[in-house]
Amino acid sequence: MTINNAVSNVLMKSKECKTCEPTVIKHSSMDPIPLPKLYRLRSFLLTSTLLGMAGLGIYELNSVGSQAHFTIGVRTITNMGLIAILSNVMRRLQKSHHDLDQMTQRCQDALRLLDVCAVEEDNQLSQTLTVQDLYNNAPCGYHSLSPDGIVMLINDTELKMLGYDRAEVVGKMSFLEFVAPESQLKWIEKFQVLKAKGIVKDVEILLKSRNGEVFPVLANSTAITDKCGNYLSSRSTLIDVRKRKKVELALQKSEAQYRGIVEDQMDLICRFLPDGRLTFVNKAYCEYFNLDPDSLLGKCFTPMVFEDDRAKVEAQFQSPSPDFPVTTIEHRAISASGQIGWQSWTNRAIFDESGTIVEYQSVGRDISDRKRQDAAMVKLTKALELAVVGIAEVNYLGRFVQVNDAYAEMSGYDNAELIGREWWQLIIAEDRSKAIRAYQTMMEVDRAEVEIRSVRKNGEIFDRKIVLVKAYDENQQFVGHYSFTQDISSCREVDRLKDEFVSVVSHELRTPLTSIAGALDIVSSGILHTRPQQAHRMVTIAAQNTERLVRMVNDILDMERIKSGKITMEREQCDLAIILQESVEVMQMLADTAHVELKLNTDSVSVLVDRDRMIQVITNLLSNAIKFSEPHTIIDVATSLIDPSSSNHPVTFQLNKPSVLVSINDRGRGIPHDKLATIFEPFQQVDASDSRQKGGTGLGLSICRSILHQHNAPLWVESNLGEGSTFYFALS
Ligand code: ADP
């Protein structure tokens, strides 16, 4: 096709006036003519007819279907361009003095026709262009090869891929020239297959671009054949798989690494389906259960869970959700050898797009040792909590972090009250420096022991022995100390009592022994040989002291045996009035000697007591009352029934249930207030001379209290100095 110079000239001008204001054809009798956006081939013809009529040019059209020129025309003549052309036509027509109205009418008719045709052609062209555009700019390469492999058609993408121009390739080059040497044989073979079978699919070959770069492509081809099935050309797509290959390689590498990591893990790793069937197990998993992968994969893991724990495990797999896909569980597992061990698992549920669990991947470890330690720790903690020894954990600031019950009880505080307090606050001021020294020793040698006095919450001071043990964390950093504490007040008291007992006993025993030895010495020396009266007196002294000695030794043994529970009380139902009567009779002689009157005032009352021991108690109390009474005074022995809930008797505070109260009241010297409690302790007397003057041992009341204690009966005394004393005991 050729377009004559006049048209070319107009076209050139129309290109140049792209920035011009659009010129709208106007005429007094006409509305503005709407112009189509693009004018197609027929538009050209009509426009050119107009131009021809105007004597502006002649064109020739050899082939209506020549797309190349057609495309140029379409691309060149824009709306603006056509307006420019028509404006030009108008001007030229005016200059030619033709009948303007007639020409305008024809022009208008022509343009209307153009409108109709243009819309139709616009659609066709648009489709053709779309296909062409798609062909050339497709993301993959397209080409067609002649039977001898010459490139007949090739799209822009493939040309770009290879680095060539269309003109150099189409009709000139064989596709084989683009195939890298290592893939050429394969390509030849596949091209033969294509020609023979009409299709080849997913052939991966290496191409070589103009700049020498070799790259992989995936080719798919179909053959276009004539009616007899003879190959005419191919239609092939080429996908550049460089990126995919890279990703594949990277994926393979990372999978290999991942597998390596998973396989080398000490932890047990597995994947399984929602029904429990294993899809992957690592080496550690196989080793734990002593099974090879083949005997595990595809099998459900549930039988390897200890029976009692299965429900717990199954329930746990119901709980994950896409928002919380991870769960943890500890359960027992059974190995192939039947051994039961503890495992800890972290399970991650894998969900599909619909939120359904498709698989689990789990990491587990053997925690049997930890479980054993935990169990031991629980026992130990329990033991420490219940320990009689006070145990406290103190931080590096010296503040209590934790204390056991024994520690709290010892100090008189609640556990919670102690937490946060400084440990040395419980120590009395005078002993704090001693405690600090022990602390310093502990800091140096990890352990120290000290005996110090502490203060209970109620202010009471008590002795305690503390063992301080330095505490470290898992990084061997000092974090504080443990304090193991024993209340040694009672030990101290026992020690004190023992010391006192030994000194008193040795003193008490030595006194009569010295008398006996002295008296016997004199007698045996013979110096009283001629003085029988004096010799007799010496022997009497020896005999009296021996008797006292025997009494004392008996009392000591008695007391010891009662206190240690070696003597059991033979309790029987007795009439207390009779027991009191007998006791009074036993002591009557002594009372007579002391010129003291014993007065008994009692009613018959049945009590469950050890009769002999009860007589021992009463006679001992009577003996004291007689000893410490002035001559010609009265000792009242009485009983009364007391119900503490209804009675207002002054002694009811000593009782907590209805009791028979026995009272022995004398009008003797009385007992100082500060001795009212101590006289019940062994060897405790109001006056040191009492034992000498009154012949006592200081053990009687202690024995009485022990006997009555065995009867759950309290014993106490009320006294006013110089007025007398009343000893009470209550049997219930
Ligand atoms: P003992 O009488 O053998 O010395 P006890 O234990 O029976 O020993 O008494 C201890 C002390 O209590 C006596 O030594 C005495 O000082 C004091 N005591 C006991 N009973 C009386 C009493 N009725 N009046 C005054 N003091 C008493």
Side-chain angles (χ1 to χ4, degrees):
M1 181 178 78
T2 58
I3 300 175
N4 74 3
N5 286 340
V7 175
S8 302
N9 189 27
V10 170
L11 293 178
M12 291 298 290
K13 285 190 176 171
S14 72
K15 274 186 194 170
E16 282 161 13
C17 73
K18 271 183 186 162
T19 54
C20 299
E21 281 299 307
T23 309
V24 176
I25 302 170
K26 279 201 168 199
H27 185 263
S28 55
S29 62
M30 286 195 304
D31 290 323
I33 300 167
L35 297 175
K37 282 183 183 173
L38 295 171
Y39 284 79
R40 310 289 177 255
L41 186 60
R42 213 165 301 159
S43 313
F44 263 113
L45 290 175
L46 286 165
T47 310
S48 301
T49 307
L50 287 173
L51 293 172
M53 283 167 63
L56 294 173
I58 302 164
Y59 70 92
E60 253 176 69
L61 184 70
N62 294 333
S63 162
V64 168
S66 174
Q67 291 187 357
H69 289 271
F70 174 66
T71 306
I72 292 167
V74 169
R75 287 205 177 153
T76 313
I77 310 269
T78 63
N79 189 12
M80 292 282 288
L82 190 71
I83 290 164
I85 292 166
L86 290 173
S87 304
N88 230 338
V89 168
M90 295 302 173
R91 276 198 301 278
R92 298 289 289 269
L93 283 172
Q94 278 171 333
K95 277 183 190 167
S96 304
H97 304 291
H98 279 80
D99 183 294
L100 183 61
D101 279 349
Q102 190 193 353
M103 288 308 292
T104 307
Q105 185 59 51
R106 291 177 70 178
C107 217
Q108 204 173 347
D109 292 345
L111 287 173
R112 282 204 185 100
L113 191 60
L114 275 175
D115 272 354
V116 176
C117 298
V119 169
E120 192 186 309
E121 286 171 2
D122 218 11
N123 291 339
Q124 284 174 5
L125 178 66
S126 162
Q127 273 176 17
T128 313
L129 279 177
T130 307
V131 171
Q132 204 164 24
D133 195 43
L134 280 174
Y135 180 79
N136 273 322
N137 299 310
C140 63
Y142 285 118
H143 65 240
S144 295
L145 303 183
S146 67
D148 51 1
I150 299 295
V151 178
M152 293 165 70
L153 277 174
I154 185 162
N155 76 343
D156 291 354
T157 310
E158 192 168 325
L159 285 167
K160 205 169 154 198
M161 213 186 275
L162 295 165
Y164 289 88
D165 287 339
R166 182 170 280 105
E168 319 173 71
V169 176
V170 175
K172 292 174 189 159
M173 289 179 77
S174 162
F175 189 77
L176 189 60
E177 292 175 62
F178 304 124
V179 180
E182 51 267 55
S183 287
Q184 284 182 347
L185 267 178
K186 185 177 179 183
W187 184 81
I188 292 167
E189 183 196 316
K190 293 289 176 188
F191 191 52
Q192 294 309 324
V193 173
L194 174 69
K195 287 202 278 188
K197 297 197 170 168
I199 189 161
V200 284
K201 274 186 159 181
D202 295 333
V203 179
E204 205 176 301
I205 51 167
L206 294 171
L207 298 186
K208 193 175 177 184
S209 69
R210 172 172 244 159
N211 64 12
E213 190 190 349
V214 174
F215 59 94
V217 291
L218 193 71
N220 277 285
S221 303
T222 49
I224 297 168
T225 55
D226 62 15
K227 283 177 188 165
C228 306
N230 296 318
Y231 176 92
L232 292 176
S233 69
S234 65
R235 244 199 316 249
S236 306
T237 59
L238 280 189
I239 298 170
D240 184 346
V241 290
R242 260 177 288 204
K243 275 187 191 158
R244 204 189 74 193
K245 276 275 161 190
K246 259 188 202 165
V247 171
E248 266 175 25
L249 277 173
L251 211 66
Q252 276 169 10
K253 202 173 150 193
S254 83
E255 185 157 330
Q257 280 172 345
Y258 165 78
R259 280 198 173 266
I261 291 167
V262 167
E263 280 304 331
D264 296 345
Q265 278 296 314
M266 301 284 283
D267 286 340
L268 321 184
I269 299 175
C270 69
R271 284 204 305 269
F272 54 89
L273 300 173
D275 63 7
R277 274 179 299 134
L278 291 160
T279 53
F280 171 81
V281 286
N282 74 341
K283 214 161 75 186
Y285 191 100
C286 296
E287 280 168 5
Y288 184 93
F289 290 105
N290 201 16
L291 291 167
D292 54 42
D294 291 342
S295 48
L296 285 165
L297 294 176
K299 307 265 169 55
C300 188
F301 69 82
T302 317
M304 295 186 291
V305 176
F306 184 62
E307 210 175 333
D308 293 1
D309 294 352
R310 279 179 205 161
K312 181 173 83 170
V313 171
E314 271 157 24
Q316 192 241 8
F317 287 118
Q318 309 306 317
S319 55
S321 65
D323 291 338
F324 302 100
V326 179
T327 54
T328 54
I329 191 168
E330 290 183 358
H331 65 78
R332 284 160 291 179
I334 315 160
S335 71
S337 59
Q339 225 175 348
I340 295 167
W342 275 93
Q343 292 178 338
S344 157
W345 285 96
T346 302
N347 307 305
R348 175 177 284 276
I350 317 280
F351 294 86
D352 64 10
E353 316 76 57
S354 68
T356 310
I357 299 172
V358 288
E359 205 176 22
Y360 290 91
Q361 63 187 34
S362 300
V363 181
R365 61 179 49 173
D366 183 355
I367 54 161
S368 307
D369 284 349
R370 201 198 78 201
K371 279 283 176 185
R372 271 192 289 275
Q373 282 166 7
D374 282 356
M377 191 53 93
V378 167
K379 274 189 206 160
L380 184 64
T381 309
K382 195 80 200 154
L384 291 179
E385 270 169 24
L386 301 175
V388 269
V389 176
I391 302 169
E393 186 186 340
V394 181
N395 69 13
Y396 68 98
L397 296 170
R399 294 180 188 277
F400 290 113
V401 176
Q402 215 179 329
V403 296
N404 72 346
D405 289 349
Y407 196 99
E409 200 179 321
M410 193 185 299
S411 57
Y413 291 94
D414 286 342
N415 299 45
E417 285 180 303
L418 284 173
I419 308 303
R421 272 178 180 259
E422 287 160 320
W423 69 283
W424 49 264
Q425 281 180 358
L426 302 187
I427 297 165
I428 66 161
E430 299 90 307
D431 282 7
R432 279 182 195 164
S433 55
K434 196 173 164 189
I436 299 297
R437 277 199 301 280
Y439 186 81
Q440 284 163 346
T441 308
M442 174 205 78
M443 290 299 282
E444 283 163 23
V445 297
D446 282 3
R447 186 183 184 282
E449 255 184 61
V450 66
E451 283 185 15
I452 43 170
R453 283 167 297 164
S454 297
V455 200
R456 295 191 219 276
K457 188 180 179 183
N458 63 8
E460 188 189 337
I461 292 173
F462 68 108
D463 292 287
R464 60 181 178 141
K465 181 177 178 177
I466 306 178
V467 177
L468 301 168
V469 178
K470 205 171 170 185
Y472 297 90
D473 67 8
E474 57 279 5
N475 301 319
Q476 293 308 303
Q477 294 297 308
F478 165 71
V479 287
H481 72 268
Y482 292 102
S483 166
F484 299 87
T485 302
Q486 211 174 350
D487 183 344
I488 52 167
S489 322
S490 48
C491 303
R492 283 276 168 84
E493 184 58 15
V494 168
D495 286 348
R496 190 186 62 74
L497 287 175
K498 260 190 198 157
D499 291 349
E500 203 175 275
F501 183 81
V502 170
S503 80
V504 171
V505 167
S506 54
H507 175 260
E508 295 301 322
L509 295 181
R510 196 174 290 131
T511 312
L513 274 173
T514 312
S515 302
I516 295 165
L520 293 179
D521 258 2
I522 294 170
V523 175
S524 62
S525 67
I527 56 167
L528 297 179
H529 195 61
T530 53
R531 288 180 280 178
Q533 262 188 341
Q534 281 182 348
H536 179 256
R537 215 172 77 79
M538 287 298 135
V539 171
T540 307
I541 288 172
Q544 280 173 344
N545 277 293
T546 305
E547 196 185 315
R548 179 170 145 74
L549 205 57
V550 169
R551 203 169 58 240
M552 196 180 289
V553 170
N554 282 340
D555 278 356
I556 290 169
L557 292 175
D558 215 11
M559 182 184 70
E560 210 285 316
R561 285 208 303 267
I562 293 168
K563 276 198 169 172
S564 65
K566 282 179 192 151
I567 293 179
T568 48
M569 299 294 135
E570 305 291 335
R571 295 172 81 172
E572 54 185 324
Q573 214 63 51
C574 312
D575 187 344
L576 185 60
I578 296 172
I579 292 175
L580 286 167
Q581 186 60 49
E582 280 182 23
S583 304
V584 167
E585 281 167 13
V586 171
M587 299 312 290
Q588 194 57 55
M589 249 179 70
L590 192 65
D592 291 346
T593 314
H595 304 289
V596 175
E597 186 185 342
L598 297 178
K599 243 183 171 174
L600 177 62
N601 181 12
T602 181
D603 291 324
S604 176
V605 53
S606 178
V607 286
L608 185 67
V609 293
D610 183 320
R611 192 176 168 282
D612 291 345
R613 291 293 168 185
M614 204 44 66
I615 290 174
Q616 186 182 349
V617 168
I618 298 162
T619 53
N620 196 81
L621 294 175
L622 282 174
S623 148
N624 283 347
I626 296 166
K627 273 196 289 187
F628 296 103
S629 285
E630 295 303 315
H632 312 296
T633 55
I634 299 168
I635 295 173
D636 284 308
V637 180
T639 59
S640 52
L641 293 173
I642 306 274
D643 182 351
S645 61
S646 55
S647 167
N648 56 3
H649 192 285
V651 301
T652 48
F653 70 93
Q654 295 278 358
L655 310 172
N656 53 16
K657 48 186 160 180
S659 309
V660 184
L661 184 71
V662 180
S663 61
I664 296 166
N665 166 253
D666 65 64
R667 278 91 172 159
R669 70 176 194 195
I671 302 163
H673 199 254
D674 63 327
K675 304 279 184 185
L676 287 176
T678 56
I679 53 167
F680 293 98
E681 300 299 331
F683 300 113
Q684 293 296 318
Q685 293 174 315
V686 171
D687 199 309
S689 62
D690 283 352
S691 62
R692 268 195 322 280
Q693 291 173 4
K694 310 288 181 185
T697 59
L699 291 169
L701 286 177
S702 177
I703 293 169
C704 289
R705 180 169 268 185
S706 296
I707 293 170
L708 288 170
H709 183 73
Q710 303 280 321
H711 286 83
N712 296 320
L715 168 67
W716 71 99
V717 62
E718 288 173 4
S719 180
N720 287 318
L721 262 184
E723 291 179 15
S725 310
T726 307
F727 283 80
Y728 295 97
F729 65 90
L731 295 164
S732 54

